[in-house]
Amino acid sequence: MDFIFKISPNIVLGSYTVARLGQYVKEWGTRFMVILDPVLKDFDIASKIQKSLNDRKIDFFIFDDISSNADTDVCDKALKLAREAHVHGVIVAGDTK
């Protein structure tokens, strides 16, 4: 089975972006994979993302099995999970260092 990866990124920056995440993604679908930089757990960003998506009834799962030296194996694992879950899109949150 083919997996079609369409790139149509929407990059949103600004105050309260995480709180409005559910609102932004609702137009793209209802099932998402959230790729989360593990360092963001220290700043409670994961729970804010979860709340925003839950408030809009968005089905999602978090993939954060990412090391500081992520390689193609990590990408392959994420892609396999996305395929199996039949996600409508991918949300990525990471540190900008």
Side-chain angles (χ1 to χ4, degrees), residues 16 28 34 49 88:
Y16 306 102
W28 298 100
V34 178
I49 290 172
H88 299 142

Side-chain angles (χ1 to χ4, degrees), residues 61-79:
F61 66 95
I62 294 177
F63 177 78
D64 62 359
D65 188 16
I66 304 168
S67 67
S68 60
N69 296 326
D71 56 16
T72 56
D73 290 338
V74 172
C75 293
D76 289 342
K77 185 176 180 179
L79 182 58

